[in-house]
Amino acid sequence: MQVNWEILLSMLGKSKYWLYLIPVLCLCASCMSTRKLNYLQPAGHGIPEYADTIEYQDYKLQKGDYLYIQIYSPNPDEVATYNGYISQNNARIDNADVATARLYMYLIGEDGCINYPYVGKIQALGKTTRDVKFALEDALRESVSTFSVDVKLSNRSFSILGESGSGRFAIPKEKLNIFQALAMCGDMSHYAKRNEIQIIRQTETGTVVRTFDLRTQSIINSEFYYIQPNDVIYVPFDNAKFFGVQHFTGILSLTMSTISFGVFIYGIVTMITSAAAQ
Protein backbone atom coordinates (compact mmCIF):
# COMPACT_ATOMS: atom_id res chain seq x y z
CA MET A 1 0.00 0.00 0.00
CA GLN A 2 1.44 3.39 -1.01
CA VAL A 3 1.28 6.17 1.59
CA ASN A 4 0.38 9.68 0.45
CA TRP A 5 2.83 11.65 2.59
CA GLU A 6 1.44 15.05 1.55
CA ILE A 7 -2.04 14.21 2.87
CA LEU A 8 -0.65 12.66 6.05
CA LEU A 9 1.60 15.64 6.80
CA SER A 10 -1.25 18.01 6.10
CA MET A 11 -3.44 16.18 8.61
CA LEU A 12 -0.68 16.17 11.24
CA GLY A 13 -0.01 19.86 10.68
CA LYS A 14 -3.66 20.75 11.15
CA SER A 15 -4.01 18.60 14.25
CA LYS A 16 -0.78 19.50 16.03
CA TYR A 17 -2.54 21.89 18.42
CA TRP A 18 -4.92 19.16 19.47
CA LEU A 19 -1.92 17.29 20.86
CA TYR A 20 -1.86 19.91 23.61
CA LEU A 21 -5.58 20.60 23.90
CA ILE A 22 -6.95 17.07 24.32
CA PRO A 23 -4.76 16.08 27.32
CA VAL A 24 -5.45 19.42 28.99
CA LEU A 25 -9.22 18.94 28.58
CA CYS A 26 -8.96 15.46 30.06
CA LEU A 27 -6.88 16.85 32.91
CA CYS A 28 -9.41 19.54 33.73
CA ALA A 29 -12.28 17.06 33.60
CA SER A 30 -10.57 14.73 36.04
CA CYS A 31 -9.56 17.25 38.71
CA MET A 32 -11.11 16.94 42.16
CA SER A 33 -12.97 20.00 43.40
CA THR A 34 -14.25 20.83 46.87
CA ARG A 35 -17.80 20.61 45.52
CA LYS A 36 -17.19 16.95 44.75
CA LEU A 37 -15.61 16.17 48.11
CA ASN A 38 -17.15 18.30 50.89
CA TYR A 39 -20.05 17.16 53.07
CA LEU A 40 -22.97 19.22 54.40
CA GLN A 41 -23.07 21.69 51.50
CA PRO A 42 -26.13 23.92 51.04
CA ALA A 43 -28.58 22.89 48.33
CA GLY A 44 -28.26 24.39 44.87
CA HIS A 45 -25.87 24.29 41.90
CA GLY A 46 -26.16 20.54 41.51
CA ILE A 47 -26.56 19.78 45.24
CA PRO A 48 -30.06 18.33 45.91
CA GLU A 49 -32.35 19.09 48.82
CA TYR A 50 -34.17 16.26 50.59
CA ALA A 51 -37.40 16.42 52.54
CA ASP A 52 -37.09 16.67 56.32
CA THR A 53 -38.68 13.48 57.65
CA ILE A 54 -36.91 13.88 61.06
CA GLU A 55 -38.79 10.90 62.55
CA TYR A 56 -36.60 7.88 63.31
CA GLN A 57 -38.35 4.58 62.67
CA ASP A 58 -37.47 1.48 64.69
CA TYR A 59 -36.26 -1.54 62.77
CA LYS A 60 -39.03 -3.94 61.70
CA LEU A 61 -38.11 -7.57 62.26
CA GLN A 62 -37.81 -9.82 59.23
CA LYS A 63 -37.68 -13.51 58.45
CA GLY A 64 -34.28 -14.95 59.29
CA ASP A 65 -33.56 -12.49 62.12
CA TYR A 66 -32.31 -13.89 65.43
CA LEU A 67 -33.61 -12.64 68.78
CA TYR A 68 -31.86 -12.89 72.13
CA ILE A 69 -34.46 -13.18 74.89
CA GLN A 70 -33.83 -13.22 78.64
CA ILE A 71 -36.42 -13.29 81.41
CA TYR A 72 -35.44 -11.88 84.81
CA SER A 73 -37.17 -12.40 88.14
CA PRO A 74 -36.42 -12.02 91.89
CA ASN A 75 -37.21 -15.75 92.00
CA PRO A 76 -34.88 -17.30 89.38
CA ASP A 77 -36.43 -20.74 89.81
CA GLU A 78 -39.78 -19.35 88.71
CA VAL A 79 -38.44 -18.37 85.25
CA ALA A 80 -35.72 -21.01 84.84
CA THR A 81 -38.01 -23.15 82.69
CA TYR A 82 -38.70 -20.29 80.30
CA ASN A 83 -35.04 -19.25 79.99
CA GLY A 84 -34.01 -22.75 78.94
CA TYR A 85 -30.23 -23.02 78.65
CA ILE A 86 -29.63 -19.30 78.87
CA SER A 87 -27.76 -18.29 82.00
CA GLN A 88 -25.81 -15.37 83.32
CA ASN A 89 -22.62 -16.96 81.95
CA ASN A 90 -23.72 -16.66 78.35
CA ALA A 91 -25.73 -13.47 78.70
CA ARG A 92 -23.06 -11.59 76.76
CA ILE A 93 -23.83 -13.36 73.50
CA ASP A 94 -26.78 -11.08 72.73
CA ASN A 95 -24.97 -9.27 69.91
CA ALA A 96 -22.86 -12.18 68.69
CA ASP A 97 -23.39 -13.41 65.16
CA VAL A 98 -21.77 -16.82 65.25
CA ALA A 99 -23.19 -20.33 64.99
CA THR A 100 -22.58 -21.21 68.65
CA ALA A 101 -24.32 -18.07 69.92
CA ARG A 102 -27.35 -18.74 67.75
CA LEU A 103 -28.02 -21.95 69.66
CA TYR A 104 -29.28 -19.71 72.47
CA MET A 105 -31.38 -17.48 70.27
CA TYR A 106 -34.77 -17.59 68.59
CA LEU A 107 -35.10 -17.56 64.80
CA ILE A 108 -37.97 -15.77 63.08
CA GLY A 109 -39.18 -18.51 60.77
CA GLU A 110 -40.98 -18.48 57.44
CA ASP A 111 -44.29 -18.11 59.24
CA GLY A 112 -43.02 -14.87 60.81
CA CYS A 113 -43.04 -16.29 64.36
CA ILE A 114 -40.61 -17.39 67.03
CA ASN A 115 -41.36 -20.56 68.96
CA TYR A 116 -40.79 -19.82 72.63
CA PRO A 117 -40.63 -22.70 75.15
CA TYR A 118 -43.84 -23.31 77.14
CA VAL A 119 -45.39 -20.22 75.55
CA GLY A 120 -45.79 -21.20 71.92
CA LYS A 121 -45.56 -19.09 68.83
CA ILE A 122 -45.12 -15.33 69.12
CA GLN A 123 -45.69 -13.21 66.01
CA ALA A 124 -42.53 -11.19 65.23
CA LEU A 125 -42.50 -10.40 61.51
CA GLY A 126 -42.94 -6.69 60.85
CA LYS A 127 -42.81 -5.87 64.55
CA THR A 128 -40.16 -4.17 66.67
CA THR A 129 -38.24 -5.81 69.51
CA ARG A 130 -40.37 -3.73 71.87
CA ASP A 131 -43.54 -5.27 70.39
CA VAL A 132 -42.15 -8.78 70.93
CA LYS A 133 -41.23 -7.87 74.51
CA PHE A 134 -44.81 -6.73 75.24
CA ALA A 135 -46.26 -9.87 73.61
CA LEU A 136 -44.08 -12.12 75.76
CA GLU A 137 -44.98 -10.21 78.91
CA ASP A 138 -48.67 -10.66 78.15
CA ALA A 139 -48.16 -14.40 77.62
CA LEU A 140 -46.18 -14.87 80.85
CA ARG A 141 -48.25 -12.66 83.13
CA GLU A 142 -50.66 -15.44 84.12
CA SER A 143 -47.95 -17.93 85.13
CA VAL A 144 -45.16 -15.72 86.53
CA SER A 145 -45.74 -13.25 89.34
CA THR A 146 -42.85 -10.78 89.11
CA PHE A 147 -40.58 -10.61 86.08
CA SER A 148 -39.11 -8.49 83.28
CA VAL A 149 -38.31 -9.43 79.68
CA ASP A 150 -35.27 -8.34 77.67
CA VAL A 151 -35.48 -8.74 73.86
CA LYS A 152 -32.62 -7.79 71.57
CA LEU A 153 -31.83 -8.24 67.89
CA SER A 154 -28.73 -10.39 67.45
CA ASN A 155 -27.80 -9.68 63.82
CA ARG A 156 -27.30 -5.92 64.23
CA SER A 157 -24.71 -5.30 61.53
CA PHE A 158 -24.22 -3.57 58.19
CA SER A 159 -21.88 -4.06 55.23
CA ILE A 160 -19.90 -1.62 53.08
CA LEU A 161 -18.58 -2.16 49.54
CA GLY A 162 -16.83 0.00 46.96
CA GLU A 163 -14.41 2.90 47.12
CA SER A 164 -14.70 3.22 50.89
CA GLY A 165 -13.30 -0.27 51.33
CA SER A 166 -15.23 -3.40 52.21
CA GLY A 167 -16.25 -5.07 55.43
CA ARG A 168 -19.04 -6.02 57.81
CA PHE A 169 -19.48 -4.04 61.01
CA ALA A 170 -21.59 -4.45 64.13
CA ILE A 171 -24.01 -1.61 64.89
CA PRO A 172 -22.85 -0.34 68.30
CA LYS A 173 -25.94 1.68 69.22
CA GLU A 174 -29.62 2.11 68.47
CA LYS A 175 -29.32 5.06 66.08
CA LEU A 176 -26.35 4.95 63.68
CA ASN A 177 -26.27 7.56 60.91
CA ILE A 178 -24.58 7.28 57.52
CA PHE A 179 -21.59 9.44 58.51
CA GLN A 180 -20.86 7.31 61.57
CA ALA A 181 -21.17 4.15 59.49
CA LEU A 182 -18.65 5.42 56.92
CA ALA A 183 -16.31 6.59 59.67
CA MET A 184 -16.21 3.05 61.04
CA CYS A 185 -14.59 1.88 57.80
CA GLY A 186 -12.21 4.84 57.54
CA ASP A 187 -14.39 7.23 55.47
CA MET A 188 -14.38 7.41 51.67
CA SER A 189 -11.41 8.13 49.44
CA HIS A 190 -11.16 11.19 47.19
CA TYR A 191 -12.28 9.01 44.28
CA ALA A 192 -15.63 8.02 45.80
CA LYS A 193 -18.73 9.17 43.96
CA ARG A 194 -20.41 10.96 46.86
CA ASN A 195 -23.44 12.03 44.84
CA GLU A 196 -24.53 8.45 44.06
CA ILE A 197 -24.23 6.54 47.34
CA GLN A 198 -26.51 3.50 47.40
CA ILE A 199 -28.09 1.57 50.26
CA ILE A 200 -29.43 -1.92 49.58
CA ARG A 201 -32.11 -2.65 52.16
CA GLN A 202 -34.36 -5.63 52.88
CA THR A 203 -38.01 -4.78 53.54
CA GLU A 204 -41.21 -6.74 54.05
CA THR A 205 -42.05 -6.30 50.35
CA GLY A 206 -38.58 -7.20 49.03
CA THR A 207 -35.18 -5.64 48.39
CA VAL A 208 -35.01 -1.91 47.68
CA VAL A 209 -32.10 0.24 46.53
CA ARG A 210 -31.94 3.85 47.67
CA THR A 211 -29.60 6.29 45.93
CA PHE A 212 -28.74 9.66 47.44
CA ASP A 213 -26.23 12.52 47.44
CA LEU A 214 -24.14 12.56 50.61
CA ARG A 215 -22.80 16.08 49.96
CA THR A 216 -26.03 17.91 50.76
CA GLN A 217 -26.69 19.44 54.15
CA SER A 218 -30.31 18.31 53.98
CA ILE A 219 -29.21 14.67 54.34
CA ILE A 220 -29.58 15.26 58.09
CA ASN A 221 -33.06 14.21 59.27
CA SER A 222 -33.89 12.88 55.80
CA GLU A 223 -34.96 9.30 55.09
CA PHE A 224 -31.36 8.50 54.06
CA TYR A 225 -29.71 9.63 57.30
CA TYR A 226 -30.04 6.56 59.54
CA ILE A 227 -28.99 3.08 58.51
CA GLN A 228 -30.71 -0.11 59.60
CA PRO A 229 -29.50 -3.62 60.49
CA ASN A 230 -28.55 -5.72 57.45
CA ASP A 231 -28.09 -2.64 55.22
CA VAL A 232 -25.46 -2.85 52.47
CA ILE A 233 -23.83 0.50 51.64
CA TYR A 234 -22.26 0.73 48.18
CA VAL A 235 -19.87 3.59 47.33
CA PRO A 236 -19.31 3.87 43.54
CA PHE A 237 -15.99 4.81 41.93
CA ASP A 238 -15.56 8.25 40.36
CA ASN A 239 -14.30 8.44 36.78
CA ALA A 240 -11.45 10.69 37.90
CA LYS A 241 -9.69 7.72 39.46
CA PHE A 242 -8.62 6.61 35.99
CA PHE A 243 -6.42 9.70 35.67
CA GLY A 244 -5.24 9.69 39.28
CA VAL A 245 -5.34 13.50 39.69
CA GLN A 246 -5.84 14.51 43.29
CA HIS A 247 -3.56 17.30 44.55
CA PHE A 248 -1.89 20.34 42.98
CA THR A 249 1.48 18.62 42.78
CA GLY A 250 -0.09 15.79 40.80
CA ILE A 251 -1.80 18.26 38.48
CA LEU A 252 1.45 20.18 37.94
CA SER A 253 3.40 16.99 37.25
CA LEU A 254 0.81 15.73 34.78
CA THR A 255 0.64 19.13 33.04
CA MET A 256 4.41 19.28 32.58
CA SER A 257 4.45 15.72 31.27
CA THR A 258 1.66 16.55 28.82
CA ILE A 259 3.48 19.65 27.55
CA SER A 260 6.76 17.75 27.21
CA PHE A 261 5.04 15.00 25.27
CA GLY A 262 3.33 17.57 23.03
CA VAL A 263 6.64 19.33 22.33
CA PHE A 264 8.25 15.98 21.49
CA ILE A 265 5.49 15.06 19.02
CA TYR A 266 5.52 18.57 17.54
CA GLY A 267 9.28 18.28 16.99
CA ILE A 268 8.84 15.01 15.14
CA VAL A 269 6.06 16.47 13.00
CA THR A 270 8.22 19.52 12.21
CA MET A 271 11.19 17.33 11.20
CA ILE A 272 9.01 15.20 8.91
CA THR A 273 7.48 18.33 7.38
CA SER A 274 10.92 19.88 6.75
CA ALA A 275 12.27 16.65 5.25
CA ALA A 276 9.31 16.32 2.92
CA ALA A 277 9.61 19.95 1.82
CA GLN A 278 13.25 19.41 0.83
Side-chain angles (χ1 to χ4, degrees):
M1 183 178 66
Q2 186 176 4
V3 179
N4 191 325
W5 288 101
E6 292 183 359
I7 297 177
L8 178 60
L9 292 174
S10 176
M11 292 174 61
L12 289 173
K14 293 179 180 179
S15 63
K16 62 184 179 181
Y17 296 106
W18 291 98
L19 298 174
Y20 305 102
L21 184 58
I22 293 177
V24 172
L25 290 176
C26 292
L27 176 64
C28 294
S30 64
C31 292
M32 289 293 176
S33 65
T34 55
R35 182 162 290 273
K36 281 187 175 182
L37 300 177
N38 286 347
Y39 300 124
L40 303 178
Q41 300 182 53
H45 303 289
I47 305 296
E49 184 171 5
Y50 297 126
D52 189 354
T53 58
I54 205 168
E55 183 179 356
Y56 172 79
Q57 295 183 351
D58 290 330
Y59 175 72
K60 305 292 185 180
L61 297 171
Q62 302 174 27
K63 297 177 183 178
D65 282 343
Y66 280 86
L67 296 180
Y68 172 82
I69 301 175
Q70 176 76 52
I71 302 175
Y72 301 93
S73 173
N75 303 313
D77 294 338
E78 192 176 10
V79 296
T81 303
Y82 298 101
N83 279 332
Y85 294 103
I86 296 179
S87 65
Q88 294 298 328
N89 294 330
N90 50 44
R92 296 182 179 180
I93 64 173
D94 54 333
N95 281 324
D97 194 13
V98 294
T100 304
R102 286 179 177 176
L103 294 175
Y104 304 97
M105 299 176 189
Y106 298 91
L107 172 68
I108 300 178
E110 290 299 318
D111 59 354
C113 299
I114 61 170
N115 193 6
Y116 202 80
Y118 302 101
V119 173
K121 290 189 175 182
I122 300 293
Q123 182 67 33
L125 180 64
K127 298 183 180 298
T128 66
T129 55
R130 188 180 297 106
D131 296 331
V132 176
K133 167 185 166 69
F134 293 154
L136 271 172
E137 288 177 345
D138 291 339
L140 293 171
R141 192 163 284 118
E142 294 182 359
S143 55
V144 183
S145 57
T146 304
F147 67 96
S148 64
V149 178
D150 185 20
V151 179
K152 296 181 181 179
L153 177 66
S154 170
N155 48 296
R156 288 181 54 83
S157 62
F158 67 95
S159 302
I160 292 183
L161 299 170
E163 185 57 17
S164 61
S166 61
R168 191 164 179 239
F169 304 88
I171 298 178
K173 60 179 185 176
E174 189 68 24
K175 296 181 180 180
L176 187 72
N177 63 53
I178 183 65
F179 294 109
Q180 293 170 329
L182 291 170
M184 291 175 66
C185 69
D187 199 7
M188 297 179 289
S189 74
H190 288 81
Y191 301 115
K193 211 166 187 179
R194 288 164 169 76
N195 61 328
E196 293 185 11
I197 306 298
Q198 294 180 321
I199 286 185
I200 304 170
R201 178 170 294 169
Q202 298 291 331
T203 66
E204 297 179 38
T205 58
T207 303
V208 298
V209 179
R210 297 183 175 182
T211 304
F212 56 93
D213 193 329
L214 194 59
R215 302 171 301 167
T216 177
Q217 190 177 32
S218 63
I219 193 73
I220 299 178
N221 296 327
S222 74
E223 60 177 318
F224 309 108
Y225 190 53
Y226 292 106
I227 67 167
Q228 293 186 358
N230 303 319
D231 277 353
V232 178
I233 303 172
Y234 174 65
V235 181
F237 297 86
D238 194 282
N239 295 331
K241 186 170 186 177
F242 176 79
F243 297 96
V245 178
Q246 180 173 334
H247 302 293
F248 176 76
T249 54
I251 296 175
L252 181 61
S253 176
L254 185 57
T255 302
M256 296 303 297
S257 299
T258 302
I259 294 174
S260 300
F261 180 73
V263 171
F264 174 73
I265 297 298
Y266 178 70
I268 293 177
V269 172
T270 302
M271 290 175 59
I272 297 175
T273 304
S274 300
Q278 293 177 358

